Amino acid sequence: MLHANWREGVTRDGRAYAFTCPATPRYHHQWHWDSCFHAIAWRHLDRARARAELRTVLRSGRADGFLPHTAFWQRWPGWRRAPLYATARVRRNAATASIGPPVLPLAWELVAGDDDAFREEGLAPLAAHLDWLARERDPDGDGLLTILLPDESGMDDSPKYDAVYGRLAHWRPGYAVLVQRCRRVGWDAAAYARRHDEHVEDVLVNVLYVLSLQAMARMSGEARWARRAEAVQQALLDRCHDPETGLFYDLAGGAERPVRVSTWSSLAPLALTGLPDDVRRRLVEDHVLHPRRYGAPVGIPSVAMDEPSYRPGFDLWRCWRGPSWVNTAWLLVPALRALGYEDDGDRIVSSLLRAAREHGLREYYHPHTGHGLASRDFGWSTLLLDLVAG
Ligand code: GLC
């Protein structure tokens, strides 16, 4: 499947690319975090392709360290889909002007393994990327990254954004207005945040940021990355952790209102080994394994089953509102195993393997029945390989 979805070539202006498209016919382009996940799977099969895919992610960006959410290597989006992309101009864009969840340094470290040359090759551009994020996407300077658009977290239509974005939500026509606002300020997050209140310090984005900073600290040996990781982790604990429920909540707008909706993003800090054990164990006991919340028969649902907005089935217009995706388990199962919940981790992986065997590698699965939903031959569902190998 990864071979079938592989795309490589040279653009009209001479830029070489090689990546796995997430799934045809729905997704033609290169998505930032999808490619990172594909490379993590590819490393078990063909390390040259894993490296090529990550190099292409770097090539999709700018010298100042900006990396786009989506890159259009083979063709520009068609007129029907173009309005759905968060680009700098209305037409003729090579990539979006929005960002994706920052997983690249983490993926780079995993793909490099003992390949010192590849690791070294990544250090300067990855440092530029992490510095760009800190400089451009932390407008209030509290250490936590801010997203302007809901899909910058990768969880486009998550119900946690419903109240924050209202009619500007990703699944509503007003999303075009949101993109237009960003264009008007040249995608300058500080300028945007001065004028508009629809922005979020997103827990999942910041957890992935910490993991990437830690990967960078290990790859470079430079203490500054470890210090920054520590500061972001502490900010998550101080500002996003809710002692009442034990969950972590996003902070919305200038007033940093906690977004009290339980989604897998609220569980993501489980992956941060530096957080106190009792905080992580509570996430496991009270939420991940809780039979009425996330303890579903198949995978880990993307929204808690007791949330009023929870919808486990397929919805053509909205995703991330309930079904189980493989990357959710990929992030959380190693943490479960490390905390001693090996059997639960194995059970979650086996349930997804069973679903994949019966229904193929689908975009996501029904948490109660294991039914495969949305796109077929979906790239990052191959993360199952990494979960089994790990
Ligand atoms: C959907 C998902 C997003 C993913 C993209 C490509 O938009 O919400 O996370 O990156 O599809 O697979």
Side-chain angles (χ1 to χ4, degrees):
M1 191 268 269
L2 285 173
H3 277 275
N5 289 7
W6 186 251
R7 303 285 179 269
E8 65 178 58
V10 179
T11 60
R12 261 179 293 173
D13 57 354
R15 292 177 310 138
Y17 60 84
F19 68 95
T20 317
C21 80
T24 52
R26 189 176 165 87
Y27 302 113
H28 294 286
H29 310 298
Q30 180 180 36
W31 270 262
H32 181 94
W33 78 332
D34 295 62
S35 267
C36 294
F37 294 140
H38 300 152
I40 291 170
W42 268 121
R43 78 193 167 115
H44 297 288
L45 309 165
D46 183 336
R47 284 175 73 183
R49 288 209 175 180
R51 289 190 295 257
E53 182 139 12
L54 294 187
R55 286 184 180 119
T56 306
V57 173
L58 275 184
R59 232 173 277 140
S60 70
R62 294 191 306 247
D64 68 354
F66 164 78
L67 294 175
H69 179 279
T70 313
F72 316 127
W73 291 103
Q74 295 191 296
R75 49 170 148 147
W76 291 327
W79 62 270
R80 259 180 308 166
R81 293 197 75 80
L84 302 177
Y85 290 107
T87 47
R89 294 169 301 277
V90 177
R91 294 190 56 226
R92 306 174 77 82
N93 299 281
T96 63
S98 56
I99 59 169
V103 233
L104 184 61
L106 175 62
W108 200 281
E109 185 193 26
L110 290 171
V111 166
D114 55 8
D115 180 343
D116 294 342
F118 184 71
R119 195 188 61 230
E120 289 287 321
E121 174 189 330
L123 293 181
L126 293 174
H129 174 51
L130 289 169
D131 282 339
W132 185 92
L133 288 170
R135 192 172 65 243
E136 302 290 332
R137 285 311 190 103
D138 180 16
D140 62 1
D142 66 358
L144 297 173
L145 299 182
T146 291
I147 57 168
L148 308 182
L149 309 179
D151 47 311
E152 289 189 313
S153 72
M155 295 173 291
D156 311 4
D157 312 304
S158 173
K160 69 180 182 156
Y161 301 128
D162 286 356
V164 181
Y165 287 93
R167 62 182 183 83
L168 308 181
H170 187 258
W171 51 279
R172 304 183 107 178
Y175 178 74
V177 174
L178 192 61
V179 170
Q180 202 47 40
R181 283 181 181 177
C182 293
R183 286 183 182 142
R184 222 173 283 138
V185 293
W187 291 90
D188 175 333
Y192 174 93
R194 277 196 298 275
R195 288 177 179 72
H196 308 290
D197 211 37
E198 289 89 355
H199 51 88
V200 175
E201 289 176 327
D202 189 281
V203 173
L204 176 66
V205 166
N206 281 286
V207 166
L208 297 173
Y209 182 42
V210 172
L211 295 174
S212 276
L213 287 165
Q214 289 170 339
M216 192 62 188
R218 288 187 294 268
M219 284 193 286
S220 67
E222 286 178 33
R224 69 177 171 127
W225 303 112
R227 279 198 301 273
R228 202 195 293 176
E230 179 58 36
V232 179
Q233 189 170 269
Q234 195 58 45
L236 279 166
L237 190 59
D238 293 345
R239 309 167 75 93
C240 301
H241 184 239
D242 174 41
E244 219 170 282
T245 57
L247 292 168
F248 285 74
Y249 289 132
D250 294 358
L251 304 174
E256 305 199 326
R257 303 177 307 276
V259 182
R260 298 184 188 284
V261 182
S262 177
T263 70
W264 77 287
S265 168
S266 331
L267 312 175
L270 187 54
L272 301 179
T273 48
L275 288 180
D277 254 26
D278 57 322
V279 169
R280 298 171 76 217
R281 280 186 192 285
R282 188 158 172 220
L283 281 172
V284 176
E285 303 275 347
D286 289 1
H287 299 280
V288 181
L289 301 181
H290 192 290
R292 281 199 310 281
R293 298 193 172 129
Y294 292 91
V298 181
I300 302 173
S302 44
V303 174
M305 295 182 284
D306 61 352
E307 277 290 342
S309 54
Y310 173 69
R311 296 285 177 278
F314 175 67
D315 179 333
L316 180 61
W317 302 109
R318 299 187 294 178
C319 51
W320 296 104
R321 299 181 77 93
S324 299
W325 299 63
V326 172
N327 63 343
T328 311
W330 178 81
L331 185 71
L332 301 181
V333 166
L336 282 177
R337 287 175 172 154
L339 284 170
Y341 300 91
E342 283 100 345
D343 291 350
D344 296 292
D346 290 348
R347 181 184 46 74
I348 293 166
V349 175
S350 307
S351 69
L352 287 166
L353 280 174
R354 222 172 9 252
R357 222 174 273 130
E358 278 174 31
H359 302 275
L361 289 162
R362 300 292 294 263
E363 194 165 356
Y364 41 80
Y365 299 91
H366 196 295
H368 306 268
T369 64
H371 245 87
L373 303 171
S375 293
R376 293 173 195 279
D377 295 336
F378 185 70
W380 87 45
S381 293
T382 54
L383 282 174
L384 273 171
L385 197 58
D386 201 57
L387 271 173
V388 172

